Amino acid sequence: MGAPHCGHLLRADTPIESAWRLHDLRTRAIFDWIRGERFHLGIGAGIIAQLLHVRLTAPGIESQVDDAIVLPYLHARASYSFSRRWSLLLAASWMNSRSDEMFNGTALIRYQIDPRWEMTAGYQFYDRDIDSRELRNRVNYDLLMLGFAHSWK
C-alpha cells in the first residue's frame, strides 16, 4: 500500500526527507479585568504573524511550500499568588478563520527569587490547523518550559 504525495503514489518503504520550520511572532494588548490581592484575570486580543516552510523530497519528487499569514487572535490569562514568592499562571490563545485554527495553552509555576528576578517552570500545548491552497498541515506539540526573567522596575 502506498501514500499519495504531489500527485504520485509512493510505496510504503519509499524514503522521504522532510524539512519543517515555523516562525511565530505575536503582539497583544491585555485588559486587567479582575485585579485582586491574590487573583488576576486579564483578557485581550492581538495579531499573530506566522511564516511556515515545508519541504518534502522523495526519489524523483520534490515539493516545497512557503506560507505567510497574519491574523487576529484572542488571549486570556489568569494568575493566583499562593504566597509572596509562589504563584500559578495560566494562559490561553485562540484564533479561527476559514483556513486556519490555533489553540495555545500554558500552565506555569512562578517563584519570585527577589524583587527583580523570577524563575518559571511549566507546560505549553500548541495545536494549529493550516489549510492553504498548497498545503494542509496540522501542527501539534507539547513543551516543558523553564525560564528566568529580570525586571528593571
Side-chain angles (χ1 to χ4, degrees):
M1 196 79 185
H5 176 67
C6 296
H8 296 82
L9 188 63
L10 301 176
R11 293 175 30 102
D13 62 348
T14 302
I16 298 175
E17 291 183 27
S18 65
W20 183 89
R21 185 172 49 242
L22 175 69
H23 298 278
D24 183 295
L25 308 165
R26 301 179 197 192
T27 185
R28 65 177 174 240
I30 301 291
F31 170 71
D32 283 331
W33 191 23
I34 298 173
R35 192 154 180 83
E37 261 315 291
R38 291 181 171 255
F39 180 74
H40 300 267
L41 178 62
I43 55 174
I47 300 290
I48 184 170
Q50 291 189 330
L51 305 172
L52 176 68
H53 170 80
V54 178
R55 183 176 44 79
L56 298 172
T57 306
I61 303 168
E62 184 163 332
S63 171
Q64 180 171 314
V65 174
D66 292 300
D67 191 37
I69 191 160
V70 177
L71 291 170
Y73 73 99
L74 300 175
H75 183 78
R77 69 176 181 204
S79 65
Y80 181 80
S81 296
F82 299 106
S83 67
R84 190 173 62 80
R85 292 189 181 260
W86 291 96
S87 57
L88 172 68
L89 299 119
L90 303 172
S93 296
W94 177 78
M95 160 193 70
N96 193 347
S97 74
R98 286 173 296 166
S99 61
D100 288 271
E101 184 174 356
M102 183 261 312
F103 177 78
N104 189 187
T106 305
L108 297 169
I109 294 290
R110 177 174 54 197
Y111 177 70
Q112 194 72 41
I113 299 167
D114 65 30
R116 293 182 182 251
W117 286 95
E118 68 180 45
M119 182 177 75
T120 57
Y123 167 79
Q124 182 178 40
F125 171 79
Y126 180 87
D127 185 68
R128 171 135 187 254
D129 274 328
I130 303 165
D131 191 3
S132 70
R133 286 173 286 159
E134 301 177 55
L135 172 73
R136 175 148 177 80
N137 188 20
R138 179 167 192 153
V139 179
N140 182 299
Y141 60 79
D142 300 287
L143 298 171
L144 293 177
M145 300 168 51
L146 178 63
F148 293 89
H150 182 271
S151 175
W152 282 270
K153 57 179 173 176

PDB file of all heavy atoms in Angstrom, residues 17-35:
ATOM      1  N   GLU A  17      12.528  12.559   2.684  1.00  0.00           N
ATOM      2  CA  GLU A  17      13.194  13.548   3.536  1.00  0.00           C
ATOM      3  C   GLU A  17      12.252  14.722   3.703  1.00  0.00           C
ATOM      4  O   GLU A  17      11.568  15.113   2.757  1.00  0.00           O
ATOM      5  CB  GLU A  17      14.497  14.018   2.892  1.00  0.00           C
ATOM      6  CG  GLU A  17      15.570  12.959   2.847  1.00  0.00           C
ATOM      7  CD  GLU A  17      16.859  13.510   2.268  1.00  0.00           C
ATOM      8  OE1 GLU A  17      17.100  14.735   2.378  1.00  0.00           O
ATOM      9  OE2 GLU A  17      17.617  12.716   1.705  1.00  0.00           O
ATOM     10  N   SER A  18      12.231  15.273   4.916  1.00  0.00           N
ATOM     11  CA  SER A  18      11.336  16.407   5.146  1.00  0.00           C
ATOM     12  C   SER A  18      12.052  17.498   5.936  1.00  0.00           C
ATOM     13  O   SER A  18      12.981  17.232   6.697  1.00  0.00           O
ATOM     14  CB  SER A  18      10.090  15.957   5.907  1.00  0.00           C
ATOM     15  OG  SER A  18      10.444  15.508   7.197  1.00  0.00           O
ATOM     16  N   ALA A  19      11.607  18.717   5.725  1.00  0.00           N
ATOM     17  CA  ALA A  19      12.083  19.869   6.497  1.00  0.00           C
ATOM     18  C   ALA A  19      10.853  20.682   6.850  1.00  0.00           C
ATOM     19  O   ALA A  19       9.965  20.882   6.002  1.00  0.00           O
ATOM     20  CB  ALA A  19      13.060  20.710   5.671  1.00  0.00           C
ATOM     21  N   TRP A  20      10.769  21.115   8.081  1.00  0.00           N
ATOM     22  CA  TRP A  20       9.621  21.883   8.554  1.00  0.00           C
ATOM     23  C   TRP A  20      10.113  22.978   9.485  1.00  0.00           C
ATOM     24  O   TRP A  20      10.903  22.716  10.390  1.00  0.00           O
ATOM     25  CB  TRP A  20       8.666  20.935   9.284  1.00  0.00           C
ATOM     26  CG  TRP A  20       7.417  21.560   9.770  1.00  0.00           C
ATOM     27  CD1 TRP A  20       6.248  21.687   9.093  1.00  0.00           C
ATOM     28  CD2 TRP A  20       7.193  22.155  11.053  1.00  0.00           C
ATOM     29  NE1 TRP A  20       5.314  22.315   9.865  1.00  0.00           N
ATOM     30  CE2 TRP A  20       5.875  22.615  11.085  1.00  0.00           C
ATOM     31  CE3 TRP A  20       7.977  22.346  12.177  1.00  0.00           C
ATOM     32  CZ2 TRP A  20       5.324  23.252  12.182  1.00  0.00           C
ATOM     33  CZ3 TRP A  20       7.432  22.981  13.273  1.00  0.00           C
ATOM     34  CH2 TRP A  20       6.115  23.418  13.260  1.00  0.00           C
ATOM     35  N   ARG A  21       9.656  24.210   9.243  1.00  0.00           N
ATOM     36  CA  ARG A  21      10.072  25.328  10.098  1.00  0.00           C
ATOM     37  C   ARG A  21       8.893  26.283  10.240  1.00  0.00           C
ATOM     38  O   ARG A  21       8.238  26.635   9.257  1.00  0.00           O
ATOM     39  CB  ARG A  21      11.268  26.031   9.470  1.00  0.00           C
ATOM     40  CG  ARG A  21      11.865  27.115  10.304  1.00  0.00           C
ATOM     41  CD  ARG A  21      13.180  27.664   9.733  1.00  0.00           C
ATOM     42  NE  ARG A  21      13.092  27.994   8.320  1.00  0.00           N
ATOM     43  CZ  ARG A  21      13.820  27.415   7.371  1.00  0.00           C
ATOM     44  NH1 ARG A  21      14.678  26.488   7.656  1.00  0.00           N
ATOM     45  NH2 ARG A  21      13.689  27.779   6.113  1.00  0.00           N
ATOM     46  N   LEU A  22       8.614  26.717  11.473  1.00  0.00           N
ATOM     47  CA  LEU A  22       7.528  27.651  11.743  1.00  0.00           C
ATOM     48  C   LEU A  22       8.069  28.803  12.573  1.00  0.00           C
ATOM     49  O   LEU A  22       8.666  28.596  13.627  1.00  0.00           O
ATOM     50  CB  LEU A  22       6.407  26.953  12.522  1.00  0.00           C
ATOM     51  CG  LEU A  22       5.249  27.844  12.977  1.00  0.00           C
ATOM     52  CD1 LEU A  22       4.430  28.311  11.784  1.00  0.00           C
ATOM     53  CD2 LEU A  22       4.371  27.095  13.968  1.00  0.00           C
ATOM     54  N   HIS A  23       7.892  30.028  12.077  1.00  0.00           N
ATOM     55  CA  HIS A  23       8.233  31.238  12.829  1.00  0.00           C
ATOM     56  C   HIS A  23       6.915  31.848  13.295  1.00  0.00           C
ATOM     57  O   HIS A  23       6.025  32.082  12.486  1.00  0.00           O
ATOM     58  CB  HIS A  23       8.999  32.242  11.957  1.00  0.00           C
ATOM     59  CG  HIS A  23      10.305  31.720  11.471  1.00  0.00           C
ATOM     60  ND1 HIS A  23      11.438  31.740  12.237  1.00  0.00           N
ATOM     61  CD2 HIS A  23      10.642  31.141  10.296  1.00  0.00           C
ATOM     62  CE1 HIS A  23      12.429  31.214  11.552  1.00  0.00           C
ATOM     63  NE2 HIS A  23      11.975  30.835  10.370  1.00  0.00           N
ATOM     64  N   ASP A  24       6.807  32.082  14.591  1.00  0.00           N
ATOM     65  CA  ASP A  24       5.567  32.549  15.201  1.00  0.00           C
ATOM     66  C   ASP A  24       5.858  33.857  15.923  1.00  0.00           C
ATOM     67  O   ASP A  24       6.609  33.877  16.895  1.00  0.00           O
ATOM     68  CB  ASP A  24       5.095  31.466  16.182  1.00  0.00           C
ATOM     69  CG  ASP A  24       3.779  31.770  16.830  1.00  0.00           C
ATOM     70  OD1 ASP A  24       3.693  32.751  17.606  1.00  0.00           O
ATOM     71  OD2 ASP A  24       2.827  31.025  16.600  1.00  0.00           O
ATOM     72  N   LEU A  25       5.311  34.960  15.438  1.00  0.00           N
ATOM     73  CA  LEU A  25       5.516  36.277  16.033  1.00  0.00           C
ATOM     74  C   LEU A  25       4.167  36.810  16.489  1.00  0.00           C
ATOM     75  O   LEU A  25       3.205  36.808  15.721  1.00  0.00           O
ATOM     76  CB  LEU A  25       6.131  37.233  15.003  1.00  0.00           C
ATOM     77  CG  LEU A  25       7.381  36.725  14.288  1.00  0.00           C
ATOM     78  CD1 LEU A  25       7.665  37.554  13.072  1.00  0.00           C
ATOM     79  CD2 LEU A  25       8.538  36.722  15.246  1.00  0.00           C
ATOM     80  N   ARG A  26       4.093  37.285  17.750  1.00  0.00           N
ATOM     81  CA  ARG A  26       2.816  37.752  18.285  1.00  0.00           C
ATOM     82  C   ARG A  26       2.993  39.073  19.026  1.00  0.00           C
ATOM     83  O   ARG A  26       4.010  39.310  19.657  1.00  0.00           O
ATOM     84  CB  ARG A  26       2.242  36.748  19.278  1.00  0.00           C
ATOM     85  CG  ARG A  26       2.014  35.399  18.698  1.00  0.00           C
ATOM     86  CD  ARG A  26       1.465  34.471  19.729  1.00  0.00           C
ATOM     87  NE  ARG A  26       1.617  33.095  19.299  1.00  0.00           N
ATOM     88  CZ  ARG A  26       1.041  32.071  19.869  1.00  0.00           C
ATOM     89  NH1 ARG A  26       0.258  32.262  20.911  1.00  0.00           N
ATOM     90  NH2 ARG A  26       1.232  30.863  19.422  1.00  0.00           N
ATOM     91  N   THR A  27       1.955  39.879  18.956  1.00  0.00           N
ATOM     92  CA  THR A  27       1.852  41.075  19.781  1.00  0.00           C
ATOM     93  C   THR A  27       0.417  41.112  20.292  1.00  0.00           C
ATOM     94  O   THR A  27      -0.508  40.657  19.609  1.00  0.00           O
ATOM     95  CB  THR A  27       2.217  42.359  19.010  1.00  0.00           C
ATOM     96  OG1 THR A  27       2.196  43.460  19.902  1.00  0.00           O
ATOM     97  CG2 THR A  27       1.299  42.609  17.853  1.00  0.00           C
ATOM     98  N   ARG A  28       0.238  41.617  21.524  1.00  0.00           N
ATOM     99  CA  ARG A  28      -1.111  41.632  22.083  1.00  0.00           C
ATOM    100  C   ARG A  28      -1.254  42.729  23.119  1.00  0.00           C
ATOM    101  O   ARG A  28      -0.278  43.228  23.664  1.00  0.00           O
ATOM    102  CB  ARG A  28      -1.457  40.280  22.693  1.00  0.00           C
ATOM    103  CG  ARG A  28      -0.596  39.939  23.890  1.00  0.00           C
ATOM    104  CD  ARG A  28      -1.017  38.615  24.511  1.00  0.00           C
ATOM    105  NE  ARG A  28      -0.095  38.271  25.553  1.00  0.00           N
ATOM    106  CZ  ARG A  28       0.641  37.184  25.581  1.00  0.00           C
ATOM    107  NH1 ARG A  28       0.557  36.313  24.599  1.00  0.00           N
ATOM    108  NH2 ARG A  28       1.446  36.945  26.583  1.00  0.00           N
ATOM    109  N   ALA A  29      -2.498  43.072  23.379  1.00  0.00           N
ATOM    110  CA  ALA A  29      -2.844  44.019  24.436  1.00  0.00           C
ATOM    111  C   ALA A  29      -3.773  43.292  25.404  1.00  0.00           C
ATOM    112  O   ALA A  29      -4.689  42.575  24.976  1.00  0.00           O
ATOM    113  CB  ALA A  29      -3.540  45.238  23.847  1.00  0.00           C
ATOM    114  N   ILE A  30      -3.529  43.465  26.688  1.00  0.00           N
ATOM    115  CA  ILE A  30      -4.308  42.780  27.725  1.00  0.00           C
ATOM    116  C   ILE A  30      -4.992  43.815  28.608  1.00  0.00           C
ATOM    117  O   ILE A  30      -4.364  44.795  29.034  1.00  0.00           O
ATOM    118  CB  ILE A  30      -3.403  41.889  28.606  1.00  0.00           C
ATOM    119  CG1 ILE A  30      -2.676  40.846  27.758  1.00  0.00           C
ATOM    120  CG2 ILE A  30      -4.180  41.232  29.728  1.00  0.00           C
ATOM    121  CD1 ILE A  30      -3.550  39.778  27.178  1.00  0.00           C
ATOM    122  N   PHE A  31      -6.250  43.598  28.887  1.00  0.00           N
ATOM    123  CA  PHE A  31      -7.006  44.423  29.820  1.00  0.00           C
ATOM    124  C   PHE A  31      -7.131  43.646  31.125  1.00  0.00           C
ATOM    125  O   PHE A  31      -7.618  42.507  31.130  1.00  0.00           O
ATOM    126  CB  PHE A  31      -8.400  44.730  29.248  1.00  0.00           C
ATOM    127  CG  PHE A  31      -9.323  45.365  30.229  1.00  0.00           C
ATOM    128  CD1 PHE A  31      -9.132  46.676  30.639  1.00  0.00           C
ATOM    129  CD2 PHE A  31     -10.394  44.649  30.754  1.00  0.00           C
ATOM    130  CE1 PHE A  31      -9.990  47.263  31.547  1.00  0.00           C
ATOM    131  CE2 PHE A  31     -11.254  45.229  31.659  1.00  0.00           C
ATOM    132  CZ  PHE A  31     -11.046  46.540  32.059  1.00  0.00           C
ATOM    133  N   ASP A  32      -6.669  44.216  32.238  1.00  0.00           N
ATOM    134  CA  ASP A  32      -6.803  43.561  33.544  1.00  0.00           C
ATOM    135  C   ASP A  32      -8.250  43.675  33.998  1.00  0.00           C
ATOM    136  O   ASP A  32      -8.682  44.707  34.507  1.00  0.00           O
ATOM    137  CB  ASP A  32      -5.868  44.213  34.578  1.00  0.00           C
ATOM    138  CG  ASP A  32      -4.435  43.768  34.401  1.00  0.00           C
ATOM    139  OD1 ASP A  32      -4.231  42.636  33.926  1.00  0.00           O
ATOM    140  OD2 ASP A  32      -3.530  44.536  34.739  1.00  0.00           O
ATOM    141  N   TRP A  33      -9.007  42.606  33.795  1.00  0.00           N
ATOM    142  CA  TRP A  33     -10.420  42.607  34.088  1.00  0.00           C
ATOM    143  C   TRP A  33     -10.669  42.491  35.586  1.00  0.00           C
ATOM    144  O   TRP A  33     -11.459  43.218  36.159  1.00  0.00           O
ATOM    145  CB  TRP A  33     -11.063  41.461  33.334  1.00  0.00           C
ATOM    146  CG  TRP A  33     -12.558  41.474  33.314  1.00  0.00           C
ATOM    147  CD1 TRP A  33     -13.374  42.540  33.485  1.00  0.00           C
ATOM    148  CD2 TRP A  33     -13.392  40.356  33.088  1.00  0.00           C
ATOM    149  NE1 TRP A  33     -14.680  42.154  33.375  1.00  0.00           N
ATOM    150  CE2 TRP A  33     -14.716  40.808  33.122  1.00  0.00           C
ATOM    151  CE3 TRP A  33     -13.155  39.003  32.843  1.00  0.00           C
ATOM    152  CZ2 TRP A  33     -15.797  39.960  32.938  1.00  0.00           C
ATOM    153  CZ3 TRP A  33     -14.228  38.169  32.647  1.00  0.00           C
ATOM    154  CH2 TRP A  33     -15.528  38.644  32.701  1.00  0.00           C
ATOM    155  N   ILE A  34      -9.965  41.557  36.237  1.00  0.00           N
ATOM    156  CA  ILE A  34     -10.041  41.392  37.692  1.00  0.00           C
ATOM    157  C   ILE A  34      -8.623  41.489  38.226  1.00  0.00           C
ATOM    158  O   ILE A  34      -7.730  40.778  37.774  1.00  0.00           O
ATOM    159  CB  ILE A  34     -10.645  40.029  38.078  1.00  0.00           C
ATOM    160  CG1 ILE A  34     -12.071  39.919  37.545  1.00  0.00           C
ATOM    161  CG2 ILE A  34     -10.607  39.845  39.594  1.00  0.00           C
ATOM    162  CD1 ILE A  34     -12.685  38.539  37.725  1.00  0.00           C
ATOM    163  N   ARG A  35      -8.410  42.379  39.178  1.00  0.00           N
ATOM    164  CA  ARG A  35      -7.080  42.551  39.757  1.00  0.00           C
ATOM    165  C   ARG A  35      -7.239  42.612  41.277  1.00  0.00           C
ATOM    166  O   ARG A  35      -7.427  43.670  41.852  1.00  0.00           O
ATOM    167  CB  ARG A  35      -6.424  43.812  39.235  1.00  0.00           C
ATOM    168  CG  ARG A  35      -4.958  43.906  39.567  1.00  0.00           C
ATOM    169  CD  ARG A  35      -4.254  44.793  38.531  1.00  0.00           C
ATOM    170  NE  ARG A  35      -2.852  44.924  38.786  1.00  0.00           N
ATOM    171  CZ  ARG A  35      -1.926  44.054  38.409  1.00  0.00           C
ATOM    172  NH1 ARG A  35      -2.270  42.979  37.759  1.00  0.00           N
ATOM    173  NH2 ARG A  35      -0.660  44.259  38.675  1.00  0.00           N
TER     174      ARG A  35
END
